[in-house]
Amino acid sequence: MDRRKFLSFSTISLIGCALIPSSILSACKKEDSSNPGKKGSEIEAATGHFSIMQVSSTSGTTIGGQKFSDNIGNSYIIKTSGGKVIVLDGGPEGDAPHLRSLLKNKYGGTVDQWWVSHPHSDHIGALLEILRQPQGITVKEVYHSRFPEGLGKLEQGTWNKYAVPLYDILDNSTTIKTTDLQSPGGLFEIDGIYIKVVGVTNPELTVNTEGTSPYNNSSMIIRVWDDSKSFLFLGDAQQECGDKLLTKNSRFYKYLTADYVQVAHHGQQGVKESFYKSITFKKCLWPTPEWVFNPKLSSLQTENTKRWLRNKGVAEDCWIVSCLEKDWYLE
C-alpha cells in the first residue's frame, strides 16, 4: 500500500484443491469441510524444517514534512532444510537493493516461490523492481490471488502503477510460472513443509470508508508450518476480512492457530480485537517501521493493537518488531 493511501485510510478514522504448480510442489490435498469440529480436525504433520527472516526496511520516507529512516513494508524470506527459498511479499521498491542483496548473498539468488498477499506498493514494490531488474536473481514461481479489474480500480493509482504492471510481467513471462488462487483451501507441500491458503481476494468487500481499504481486505491469508513451528500471515487484513475468516471461511478455522501471528496491517487498523481473541498464538510478528510502531501521527491506531495483545497475555518480549529487531532470523 502506498504511503499516502496508508495514511488516508488511517486518518478517516484456497482453492478447494489447488493446481499443482511444479515439481517442487509435492502435494495438494482437498479440504474436508463436512464436520471441521470433528473429522479432519488435526492439522497435517510436517516432516520438513525451515528458517525464516523478517526483513526490516532500509529505505527512508518523508510524510508531511517529517523524515523517517524506515518505510512501511511487509517482507519475509523462508528457506527449507532442502534449500528451497520462499519470499512473502518483499516490501516497498526502495527496499529492493537490500532484499536483492540478501537473496544473492545469503539465499543463493534463486527464489523458488514468491507469495504475494495483495498488490499494494509496500508489499510488491520490491518484487516489481527485482522482476524488472533481476541483477542475478531468478524467480521461478509466483503465487497470488489476482484482483478482478472492478476491485483493482477502486484504488486507481495503485492499480495503474503497481497491480497492472505486475500482472503484465507475469502474463508475459516465459520463465516464471504463475499460480492464481481464487478460492481458499489449497494445501501445498514443499520439502516437507506445508502452506495452507486460508483466505484469498474478496471482491465483495469493497468498502473504502472509516479506514477500510478494499485492497487490504483482499489480502491472501496463509499458514506456513514445519516440524516444530507455525506462522499465520495476515497481510493487511482489516476488520471485514478478519470477520470473513471467522465466518464464511470458518471451515479452515483450525489453521488460524499458530505459534507466530503476523499482526494485520502493520499492527494498526487491521483486524478487530475480537479476531485476535478468537485465535491462539504465542508470539507475534510486526512488519512495522518505527514511526508506526511508536506512532508519530495521531491518525495511527497502533496503541490499540498493543493493548489488545497485552490483554490477551502476549507480552512485549514476545513481539518481534522489524524496526527494533532489524533482520530477525529464526532457525
Side-chain angles (χ1 to χ4, degrees):
M1 186 177 194
D2 63 52
R3 294 187 300 274
R4 286 181 297 176
K5 188 67 67 177
F6 176 84
L7 293 171
S8 172
F9 286 120
S10 301
T11 301
I12 56 175
S13 41
L14 298 179
I15 57 183
C17 183
L19 295 175
I20 297 177
S22 77
S23 59
I24 64 172
L25 173 63
S26 60
C28 171
K29 302 179 181 180
K30 190 171 183 179
E31 177 71 19
D32 181 359
S33 59
S34 58
N35 192 341
K38 294 182 180 180
K39 185 178 179 180
S41 61
E42 294 298 319
I43 291 175
E44 296 78 4
T47 57
H49 195 79
F50 64 80
S51 63
I52 183 169
M53 177 181 287
Q54 178 174 256
V55 183
S56 62
S57 174
T58 56
S59 61
T61 187
T62 300
I63 300 173
Q66 297 186 65
K67 293 184 178 180
F68 303 108
S69 61
D70 53 1
N71 207 342
I72 193 80
N74 192 80
S75 183
Y76 295 90
I77 305 173
I78 290 170
K79 187 174 183 178
T80 71
S81 54
K84 304 300 184 188
V85 175
I86 303 166
V87 176
L88 309 180
D89 283 343
E93 53 207 292
D95 288 346
H98 178 54
L99 180 61
R100 189 187 284 112
S101 176
L102 283 172
L103 293 174
K104 273 177 145 179
N105 299 322
K106 185 176 177 62
Y107 294 95
T110 296
V111 178
D112 296 281
Q113 297 182 357
W114 203 306
W115 288 74
V116 174
S117 65
H118 65 295
H120 268 147
S121 64
D122 59 318
H123 292 252
I124 67 164
L127 169 60
L128 268 175
E129 287 297 302
I130 289 172
L131 292 178
R132 288 166 173 161
Q133 301 181 60
Q135 297 180 22
I137 303 299
T138 298
V139 178
K140 290 186 175 181
E141 299 186 72
V142 171
Y143 294 75
H144 70 143
S145 187
R146 186 167 182 151
F147 282 18
E149 187 173 2
L151 170 61
K153 286 187 173 180
L154 291 175
E155 296 185 21
Q156 189 74 56
T158 298
W159 176 250
N160 292 337
K161 187 174 181 180
Y162 293 98
V164 170
L166 174 63
Y167 298 159
D168 285 346
I169 289 172
L170 297 180
D171 289 344
N172 293 298
S173 176
T174 59
T175 60
I176 302 172
K177 185 174 181 63
T178 302
T179 299
D180 178 12
L181 301 162
Q182 288 296 313
S183 299
L187 178 65
F188 300 88
E189 183 182 359
I190 174 173
D191 276 355
I193 75 167
Y194 281 113
I195 301 175
K196 182 71 175 183
V197 181
V198 184
V200 294
T201 183
N202 300 307
E204 79 280 9
L205 300 181
T206 58
V207 179
N208 59 3
T209 58
E210 298 302 321
T212 297
S213 157
Y215 271 48
N216 290 342
N217 271 328
S218 276
S219 293
M220 183 160 61
I221 312 301
I222 64 172
R223 185 186 198 265
V224 185
W225 69 101
D226 66 8
D227 58 356
S228 63
K229 59 188 178 295
S230 55
F231 292 78
L232 179 66
F233 295 96
L234 295 174
D236 277 358
Q238 294 189 277
Q239 57 185 15
E240 294 85 359
C241 179
D243 289 347
K244 183 176 179 179
L245 290 171
L246 297 176
T247 55
K248 292 184 179 179
N249 290 7
S250 62
R251 63 192 183 279
F252 309 123
Y253 178 77
K254 64 184 179 183
Y255 294 101
L256 298 179
T257 292
D259 297 314
Y260 296 79
V261 167
Q262 174 239 310
V263 293
H265 197 214
H266 313 280
Q268 80 89 31
Q269 208 164 17
V271 296
K272 297 175 183 175
E273 180 181 14
S274 58
F275 180 89
Y276 291 118
K277 283 183 175 180
S278 298
I279 66 174
T280 301
F281 57 97
K282 302 173 184 176
K283 299 183 179 183
C284 53
L285 304 175
W286 291 72
T288 310
E290 195 277 333
W291 53 272
V292 174
F293 185 69
N294 295 307
K296 300 299 190 292
L297 303 162
S298 60
S299 58
L300 298 174
Q301 299 179 24
T302 319
E303 296 302 329
N304 288 339
T305 306
K306 291 180 178 179
R307 184 177 70 255
W308 299 343
L309 292 173
R310 293 188 191 105
N311 290 342
K312 187 177 175 64
V314 182
E316 292 183 36
D317 59 0
C318 293
W319 302 355
I320 297 98
V321 188
S322 60
C323 64
L324 303 178
E325 300 283 348
K326 302 305 178 182
D327 291 341
W328 174 82
Y329 183 81
L330 178 68
E331 283 285 356

